[in-house]
């Protein structure tokens, strides 16, 4: 089973951002570096629900998520022989959208379809990778385009296909800000790369994350009980 490079861990955690305490989003509550708690307090997540984490504790928790949930799910879902960079790119995507929902399945199907040569299916794989980039704002109830996810999706795709820009996030963020447009590849309607106007939400397929909450919460329960001694033992 492959492991994630430290450089990719740094990328994932920098894009997720650090939350010392739980915070709500469109799908539930998260803490640390994108660790998903669920929609409500339970016996299993109670100690994290009310906790305040430092960055060291949050990193330990995120690394356990990757080792015990994300990496095994990639190995289970994707049958293509991935390079290290491709594996790392998929790790970032699965970590962000969750490994059990329709988005992870959609990307896995596209990669598996071209398992013998993923570059032959580049456009189809990139299209599968382009979502989700919208989310419901928990404060307003409105669905909004997340420019940070546009940048992240592009970075992941370029890492997967071997043309990641050497200057990293700064290049992608500057391009998105300068153009006022998404920097994704063509969508299902054939909108060309670098001309996907994110000011018009109708240009972007709106898909809600379809997490399998029961399976996620079972993993969380086992993971968090195992993590108590690591964080506070």
């Amino acid at each position: 089973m492959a492991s994630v490079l430290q450089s990719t861990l740094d990328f994932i955690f920098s894009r997720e951002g650090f939350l010392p305490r739980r915070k709500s989003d469109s799908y539930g509550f998260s803490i640390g570096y994108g660790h998903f708690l669920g929609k409500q307090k339970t016996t299993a997540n109670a100690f994290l629900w009310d906790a305040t984490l430092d960055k060291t504790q949050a990193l330990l928790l995120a690394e356990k998520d990757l080792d015990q949930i994300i990496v095994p799910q990639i190995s289970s879902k994707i049958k293509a022989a991935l390079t290290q960079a491709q594996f790392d790119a998929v790790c970032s995507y699965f970590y962000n959208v969750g490994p059990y929902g329709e988005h992870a399945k959609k990307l896995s199907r596209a990669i598996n379809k071209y398992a013998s040569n993923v570059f032959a299916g580049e456009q189809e794989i990139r299209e599968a990778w382009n979502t989700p980039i919208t989310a419901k704002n928990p404060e307003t109830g409105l669905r909004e385009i997340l420019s940070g996810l546009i940048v992240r999706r592009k970075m992941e795709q370029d890492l997967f296909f071997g043309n990641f820009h050497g200057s990293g996030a700064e290049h992608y963020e500057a391009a998105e800000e300068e153009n006022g447009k998404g920097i994704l590849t063509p969508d299902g309607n054939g909108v060309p790369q670098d001309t996907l106007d994110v000011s018009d939400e109708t240009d972007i397929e709106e898909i809600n994350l379809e997490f399998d909450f029961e399976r996620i919460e079972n993993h969380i329960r086992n993971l968090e009980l195992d993590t108590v001694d690591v964080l506070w033992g």
Side-chain angles (χ1 to χ4, degrees):
M1 185 180 298
S3 58
V4 189
L5 292 177
Q6 184 60 50
S7 59
T8 304
L9 292 176
D10 294 342
F11 164 70
I12 292 173
F13 300 150
S14 69
R15 304 312 299 180
E16 290 289 338
F18 171 63
L19 296 173
R21 295 184 58 83
R22 64 178 167 85
K23 183 177 179 180
S24 64
D25 57 27
S26 301
Y27 313 107
F29 290 85
S30 296
I31 193 171
Y33 291 101
H35 175 78
F36 184 67
L37 290 173
K39 290 188 172 182
Q40 59 188 6
K41 185 176 182 179
T42 65
T43 302
N45 70 18
F47 71 97
L48 282 176
W49 191 267
D50 299 318
T52 299
L53 303 183
D54 61 31
K55 289 187 177 181
T56 299
Q57 293 168 332
L59 285 170
L60 286 171
L61 192 57
E63 288 170 356
K64 275 185 169 289
D65 284 343
L66 283 161
D67 289 342
Q68 297 183 15
I69 300 176
I70 303 301
V71 171
Q73 283 297 311
I74 291 174
S75 299
S76 172
K77 284 183 168 63
I78 295 182
K79 306 308 178 185
L82 302 178
T83 67
Q84 182 68 56
Q86 290 169 341
F87 179 83
D88 292 347
V90 176
C91 269
S92 175
Y93 185 76
F94 274 33
Y95 190 90
N96 184 231
V97 307
Y100 303 117
E102 183 56 33
H103 296 300
K105 294 175 184 176
K106 182 179 180 181
L107 179 60
S108 299
R109 287 193 297 267
I111 293 174
N112 288 337
K113 180 177 177 180
Y114 297 95
S116 62
N117 181 10
V118 294
F119 293 95
E122 181 170 353
Q123 180 171 334
E124 186 172 338
I125 292 171
R126 283 184 180 270
E127 288 176 2
W129 211 309
N130 280 354
T131 55
I133 56 174
T134 66
K136 184 178 292 185
N137 185 323
E139 297 181 357
T140 65
L142 300 175
R143 184 158 294 279
E144 299 177 357
I145 296 166
L146 305 179
S147 59
L149 287 184
I150 294 174
V151 171
R152 181 168 179 170
R153 294 291 89 88
K154 177 63 173 173
M155 293 175 73
E156 292 164 347
Q157 291 170 35
D158 282 1
L159 180 62
F160 187 89
F161 288 108
N163 51 1
F164 187 78
H165 198 278
S167 62
E170 292 79 6
H171 163 77
Y172 295 91
E173 290 167 351
E176 198 278 334
E177 181 176 353
E178 179 181 350
N179 295 335
K181 299 175 181 179
I183 49 178
L184 299 172
T185 50
D187 67 2
N189 296 318
V191 179
Q193 183 176 349
D194 296 327
T195 61
L196 185 62
D197 188 352
V198 299
S199 65
D200 183 356
E201 196 169 24
T202 61
D203 282 342
I204 299 172
E205 182 181 9
E206 296 182 20
I207 303 179
N208 290 320
L209 294 179
E210 297 178 2
F211 287 127
D212 182 339
F213 284 105
E214 182 177 355
R215 293 178 66 187
I216 285 179
E217 289 176 357
N218 284 338
H219 274 288
I220 289 171
R221 184 175 297 109
N222 294 332
L223 175 65
E224 290 175 354
L225 290 174
D226 184 47
T227 304
V228 176
D229 291 337
V230 174
L231 298 184
W232 289 278

